[in-house]
Amino acid sequence: MAMRPAQVFSEDNAGATVESPVSAVSWSAIVAGGLTSVTATLVLMMIGAGLGLSSVSPWAGHGASVTSLAVGTVIWLIVVQWLSSGVGGYVAGRLRTRWTGIHRDEVFFRDTVHGLLAWALATMIGLALLSSVVGAIIGAGARGAGAVSEGAVNAAAAAMGPISQYDLDGLLRPAQPGAAPRDASAADVAPEIMRILTNGLGAGDVPVEDRAYLSQIVATRAGIPQDDARQRVDQTIDRAKRAVVEAREVAETARKAAAKISLFGALAMLIGAFVASAAAAFGGQLRDEPS
């Protein structure tokens, strides 16, 4: 048996109205608006990349600074989000199916929802296309947060060593260039020195007894007085400690930058959703104006 269309009765029972069989959602308009928004985003991103690359220079003192470039990038990303959302929402509002016999408040609500859905579709497509960029930002924040933790610093020190190979060579350099080690048994002491420095710097500082032992190794290996060897050890440890501090500062800066980008990005997306909704309402109003 065929089913009758659903009927909605008014409260005063003055009459009945038949519910429209046409859906309140015009998916074709939403898809068109979403694709338009994604395309606009890609075009604007390419323009921003071109402007950014033209403002930097490998020569010292030329081009924009790193701070200026970072601030400009964040501002441009916000502008891109707002412009692309507005264009996509406007297209969705102008292309949606015209509703007849609907109160204007309901029309306004449906238009704003169409803009919001177009923005949501464009956001999902954009995230899929730009997943590598987003992953790099998140990864930078995760690496920065992990690097500032003590365990990550210790692990990095254990993997790469607390001092550079150049510093290690300087620590064991003979007093006379080209001279052979005074003690042949001390020819391969670099791994042991690395382990001692890694353990000490991982704990915060190299203990006094380890410093004395390193001084003895350096004095024997390099053929220099004990006082000179102790001075070499102290200078090498000081340089290694400064390198650890600088690495933590860089990691902290990266963590803060990633956090700010995430927060500003979320705020820009929320405002973009509002812009898309408002643009769709405006486009729908123009669509329904009598010719």
Side-chain angles (χ1 to χ4, degrees):
M1 181 177 61
M3 299 183 64
R4 296 180 179 177
Q7 292 183 335
V8 179
F9 295 91
S10 61
E11 293 181 358
D12 56 359
N13 295 325
T17 57
V18 179
E19 184 72 17
S20 173
V22 180
S23 173
V25 180
S26 180
W27 285 108
S28 57
I30 292 173
V31 172
L35 293 178
T36 302
S37 180
V38 172
T39 304
T41 299
L42 294 178
V43 172
L44 292 174
M45 290 289 288
M46 293 179 65
I47 294 175
L51 294 176
L53 291 175
S54 63
S55 65
V56 298
S57 173
W59 305 104
H62 295 77
S65 63
V66 176
T67 302
S68 300
L69 186 62
V71 173
T73 300
V74 173
I75 294 176
W76 183 251
L77 290 176
I78 295 175
V79 172
V80 168
Q81 171 67 214
W82 294 354
L83 289 178
S84 60
S85 298
V87 172
Y90 179 80
V91 170
R94 286 299 298 267
L95 296 183
R96 55 89 172 160
T97 302
R98 183 172 184 174
W99 300 295
T100 58
I102 304 298
H103 193 276
R104 62 182 182 180
D105 291 340
E106 178 64 19
V107 173
F108 177 79
F109 172 77
R110 292 184 182 184
D111 281 334
T112 57
V113 171
H114 275 65
L116 182 63
L117 291 176
W119 167 85
L121 178 62
T123 300
M124 297 302 297
I125 297 176
L127 289 179
L129 295 176
L130 303 176
S131 58
S132 59
V133 177
V134 177
I137 295 175
I138 297 176
R143 287 192 298 271
V148 296
S149 64
E150 195 67 27
V153 172
N154 294 343
M160 298 181 295
I163 62 175
S164 65
Q165 186 63 43
Y166 177 82
D167 288 334
L168 183 60
D169 293 339
L171 184 65
L172 301 176
R173 183 174 299 157
Q176 298 297 329
R182 293 177 56 183
D183 187 354
S185 63
D188 190 16
V189 295
E192 182 181 8
I193 293 177
M194 281 291 191
R195 289 192 295 270
I196 293 174
L197 293 177
T198 298
N199 180 75
L201 292 176
D205 197 0
V206 180
V208 177
E209 55 273 16
D210 285 345
R211 288 175 181 253
Y213 178 68
L214 290 176
S215 300
Q216 294 176 2
I217 294 178
V218 173
T220 303
R221 176 66 174 79
I224 59 177
Q226 186 71 29
D227 291 341
D228 293 344
R230 184 180 300 108
Q231 184 178 4
R232 280 192 185 184
V233 171
D234 292 340
Q235 291 176 350
T236 302
I237 293 176
D238 290 341
R239 284 195 296 269
K241 291 169 66 175
R242 287 196 298 269
V244 171
V245 172
E246 291 175 358
R248 294 188 179 188
E249 291 176 350
V250 171
E252 179 68 7
T253 301
R255 182 191 66 82
K256 291 181 179 180
K260 290 180 180 179
I261 291 175
S262 298
L263 293 176
F264 279 111
L267 179 60
M269 292 179 66
L270 291 177
I271 297 178
F274 172 79
V275 172
S277 301
F282 177 70
Q285 182 180 4
L286 295 180
R287 166 69 173 79
D288 291 341
E289 285 184 352
S291 56

